[in-house]
Amino acid sequence: MRDRRVALAWAAFVVVALLSCVLVLRREDRLSDLHIYYGALSDLHSGRPLYGYKAENGGPFTYPPFAALVLRPITAVSEGVLQGIWLVATCAAVVAIAGTVGVALTARRSRRPLVVAVAATVLMLSAPVQSNLRFGQVSIFIVLMALLDGMGVVPPRLRGVLVGMAAAIKLTPLLFVVYFLATGRYRDAGRAAATFVACAGLAAIVLPRESWTYWTESVRQTSRIGNLASLGNQSLHGMLLRVGVDEASLPLLWAGLVALICAAALLRARQLTAQGRSAHGAVLVGCATVAASPVSWTHHQVWPVLAAMLLIGASGVTQRAAGAALLGTMVVSLGAVLSPVSTRPGVQFLFENARAVGVCLLCLAGFGGVAVAAARTNRRPATGRAWWRVGIAATVAVAFFAVQPLPAGADPTFKAYNLDDVVNPRYFFVCRGPVECAAYRTDAPVTFGTRAEKTKVRVNGVVSPQVARLEYYSAPGGAPRAIPLLDAYPGTRTFSFRSASMAQGRLIAYASDGQPIANYDDELAAALRTTTR
């Protein structure tokens, strides 16, 4: 019976993996990051600068030069063949990660094959792994290398080498060097640091120009990676940007919170390792890298999925409930799925940042660290009472966010369009062309329409000659957004912008003397309620 369940579980994994790969290959933008690697390395082979490359979508090569040495062989085959190989390798890495974590998920060897198969299937269904497949990312391999080394699976004389190599490809695993020091693995820390320096040195010898460019310029230019305030960046830094923390306070606040999160995670990881739970310790440190990094896109977030599975496999209602909640956020996008029912801006903000909040809480609580401390002074509660407490805590948390307004400036979706975008009917739908726009020339200062989409709302319209300036407030107390007034057609000025929500949006028109002449707030929400798409 057990063999049959194992076979069915692996069959489910194969079906999910094949379906995922087929869907990826059917996309026009399939494996776009792999395309960047391929194009940048092809340019490098032709003598062009590695960090001067930009793909058709504007994406540059952002990794250290050692990554270029490791990835250089991919140009030996055509890009189409490479895509197939990369997808298979990604699926194989998922199986290897599931097999490694499976040791910690069950102490009974007889159950381990089934647990590994189920873990691999859950991993494959998670958003981070799907993102690795979709973009053709190296992140899944970085996680595998750091996990094997962090758990001490590799031979003793080689421990630390994989972390050093992984950090030379992507810098975030450097936190594992501190983890080795904290747990008394001094030789492993030394090997990791030495390997990192050796890899960087080798790259400097083979690629001196690229190494100089990266370590003196590119490593500090985080904006090259993309808009760090976008919802895809579920790091602490990204969440602070979405909260609207001012530029002067952001570096100090971020550094202080990162130090707190990393210290809490490392202290708890040392305790877990001393208890023989090396998988928990390594995964916790991996989660700290996700929280602490300035940029943590979806494909970086494999670590929280592993943490969720370890929590579900633990004993205790609180940890299992926390694991189920964390796993839910890592499989689906709560901000998109629950937006129709999250009528309060604060709740929507919580949903949109659920992964960042979950990872930070995990690092601070540390796989039940808070529960362990509480257990020293309290007897274990009955199961029914424990579930009751979990429910009350969750309700209080959601209620707290329900009464919060959308944080000032917390609208990473916002974008105002310019003249080059006028031809796009998705952005400009109220009037398209001089004849159609002429019908909107009324005595009203602003005439506009709204259109709701899955994760954003679009607003556009025309303004009368008396309007000299147009501003939009996404939240009370936030800084205004200037909306460009475009002379798209003779005698008509039009505008268009998008925002995450109109629940507390306010559009204000000003005359040439700077006085407000029209204020639209309830009208925006009313127009949105009558909009259909």
Side-chain angles (χ1 to χ4, degrees), residues 126-361:
S126 68
V129 170
Q130 289 293 315
S131 184
N132 272 273
L133 287 168
R134 173 186 170 186
F135 292 105
Q137 256 288 329
V138 299
S139 298
I140 191 75
F141 306 108
I142 299 298
V143 169
L144 176 59
M145 294 169 70
L147 180 65
L148 291 172
D149 222 346
M151 289 181 59
V153 175
V154 297
R157 292 185 178 181
L158 297 178
R159 289 174 187 170
V161 173
L162 288 180
V163 161
M165 291 182 64
I169 298 171
K170 223 169 187 177
L171 298 178
T172 50
L174 283 173
L175 187 61
F176 278 87
V177 179
V178 185
Y179 167 62
F180 292 154
L181 292 173
T183 54
R185 296 170 58 178
Y186 303 118
R187 291 185 178 180
D188 297 353
R191 277 189 287 265
T195 301
F196 173 76
V197 172
C199 291
L202 177 62
I205 295 172
V206 180
L207 303 171
R209 180 179 62 177
E210 284 69 23
S211 295
W212 177 261
T213 299
Y214 180 81
W215 294 111
T216 60
E217 299 176 18
S218 301
V219 69
R220 294 180 285 107
Q221 297 172 352
T222 54
S223 59
R224 296 175 74 245
I225 304 173
N227 179 14
L228 303 190
S230 69
L231 291 174
N233 180 17
Q234 288 287 309
S235 67
L236 174 64
H237 183 251
M239 186 167 61
L240 290 176
L241 287 172
R242 291 188 287 275
V243 167
V245 177
D246 64 271
E247 293 183 3
S249 305
L250 179 62
L252 186 60
L253 177 61
W254 174 66
L257 290 174
V258 164
L260 174 64
I261 287 173
C262 289
L266 287 167
L267 287 172
R268 176 60 175 152
R270 183 177 67 176
Q271 183 186 40
L272 290 167
T273 303
Q275 295 171 353
R277 300 161 70 187
S278 59
H280 291 74
V283 170
L284 184 57
V285 174
C287 288
T289 67
V290 173
S293 174
V295 182
S296 291
W297 301 126
T298 305
H299 52 76
H300 297 155
Q301 300 161 21
V302 178
W303 292 108
V305 183
L306 303 181
M309 290 192 291
L310 289 174
L311 283 168
I312 292 172
S315 60
V317 170
T318 303
Q319 293 189 66
R320 289 179 177 177
L326 181 60
L327 185 60
T329 66
M330 301 312 301
V331 172
V332 299
S333 175
L334 296 184
V337 173
L338 299 179
S339 59
V341 299
S342 57
T343 56
R344 298 294 302 175
V347 173
Q348 180 62 18
F349 184 79
L350 172 63
F351 290 157
E352 289 174 345
N353 294 273
R355 292 175 183 171
V357 172
V359 173
C360 290
L361 288 177

